[in-house]
Amino acid sequence: IPVADLTDHFIYNERIDAAYIRYGLKFTNGSLSLGLRGEQTNSTSLSVSPNRLVDSSYFNLFPNVQFTFEPDKDNQLTAFYSRNINRPNYQDLNPFVGYVDQFFYNTGNPFLKPFYINTIQVSDLYRHKYKITLNASVTNNYFSTIFSQDDVTKVYTTIKENIATRYRYSIQLGIPFEFTRWWNLNLDLVGLHDQFDYFAANQPKRGSFALEATLSQDFTITKKLSAQLESVYQSPTYFVINNYREDYFVNAGLRYAIAKNASLSLTASDIFNTDVDKIHFDYRNLNITQRDKRPTRFIGFTN
């Protein structure tokens, strides 16, 4: 039985014309790369029921600059700046209502705008092993999936909206250790701060610090047999509108060489089945606590 309130015909047309230019320069102990991309976008979104037409045309320039310099034999410095665009896909825009049950729908947003990311990054590679990276980015018109509830009908929907300006600052360390000839270790640490300045007047800006750590270990057991063990930890954090609890899991693998270019591998992901998303948010007129357990524990065999 057709339901008029849940029925639509969506017609979408998009054309993107782009031109690129790049210039590279090499000099003593370094190089410089300059790039520029120009894009003209023309798009129309027509929703027949209800009748809504969105006609959008815009031109943008996206520069990219990268500078590499080796001041001495132990250091390699890299700095770059880039501006990029992230467009919503067709299904993000399509206002067709996906009926889950009588209290839960999902739908697209034909008025959704692309967001723009400006990124600056500086890194140093020391002795071709140790790496430190500083990163700062600003995302304008950041969009994400949010929940919206009708307080009269108690129906809530998921939809993507441009909700905030996002600021992210991070520092990343890559530290390898070689304890013995049969045991190597690599530690990746990421410390970051996210802040969201919301467009809604009654929604105060929010931010949080977070730590991500990955410890990878390689063991040489015999000339043909080796093992790998990876441990991952993510601290509690806040992202978009969600408060996330800490998350952690362990992966492992064995590899046996049977010929020069052939081997057998046995892998196990999330051995203890601990990779679980535990989320809580209090946004607008909704207060939701969620536990999302995806299938993450697998055993694989390859040759």
Side-chain angles (χ1 to χ4, degrees), residues 211-214 230-236 245-251 269-278 291 293-294 296:
L211 174 67
E212 299 175 1
T214 302
E230 181 184 60
S231 306
V232 179
Y233 171 79
Q234 298 171 340
S235 70
R245 298 278 298 274
E246 67 180 3
D247 189 19
Y248 48 88
F249 53 91
V250 176
N251 305 324
S269 62
D270 192 16
I271 296 173
F272 304 105
N273 205 28
T274 56
D275 188 6
V276 183
D277 288 333
K278 299 175 182 178
R291 184 182 186 275
K293 182 66 183 87
R294 297 166 288 108
T296 54

Side-chain angles (χ1 to χ4, degrees), residues 61-180:
L61 292 174
F62 301 98
N64 185 294
V65 181
Q66 180 167 310
F67 174 70
T68 302
F69 180 62
E70 296 183 13
D72 53 54
K73 66 177 183 179
D74 290 331
N75 291 277
Q76 184 182 66
L77 301 174
T78 303
F80 80 79
Y81 164 77
S82 66
R83 182 173 189 261
N84 291 293
I85 185 173
N86 190 328
R87 294 180 175 86
N89 62 41
Y90 171 80
Q91 204 56 44
D92 296 332
L93 299 166
N94 188 349
F96 178 82
V97 176
Y99 182 87
V100 180
D101 59 42
Q102 61 178 330
F103 294 110
F104 180 28
Y105 305 158
N106 56 64
T107 185
N109 179 5
F111 301 100
L112 193 63
K113 299 177 181 178
F115 64 69
Y116 300 89
I117 313 168
N118 290 274
T119 303
I120 297 176
Q121 182 171 293
V122 179
S123 65
D124 180 29
L125 181 62
Y126 180 65
R127 292 189 175 181
H128 303 285
K129 293 196 304 182
Y130 309 100
K131 189 171 184 179
I132 180 172
T133 302
L134 302 175
N135 183 288
S137 66
V138 179
T139 304
N140 299 306
N141 274 341
Y142 186 81
F143 63 72
S144 184
T145 300
I146 66 167
F147 295 85
S148 177
Q149 177 176 269
D150 186 324
D151 286 338
V152 176
T153 64
K154 301 303 180 182
V155 171
Y156 76 96
T157 59
T158 60
I159 188 172
K160 285 191 175 179
E161 290 186 5
N162 300 102
I163 63 171
T165 300
R166 175 191 174 190
Y167 301 88
R168 167 166 281 196
Y169 310 96
S170 67
I171 179 172
Q172 182 174 359
L173 300 174
I175 309 171
F177 298 95
E178 187 174 341
F179 292 114
T180 67

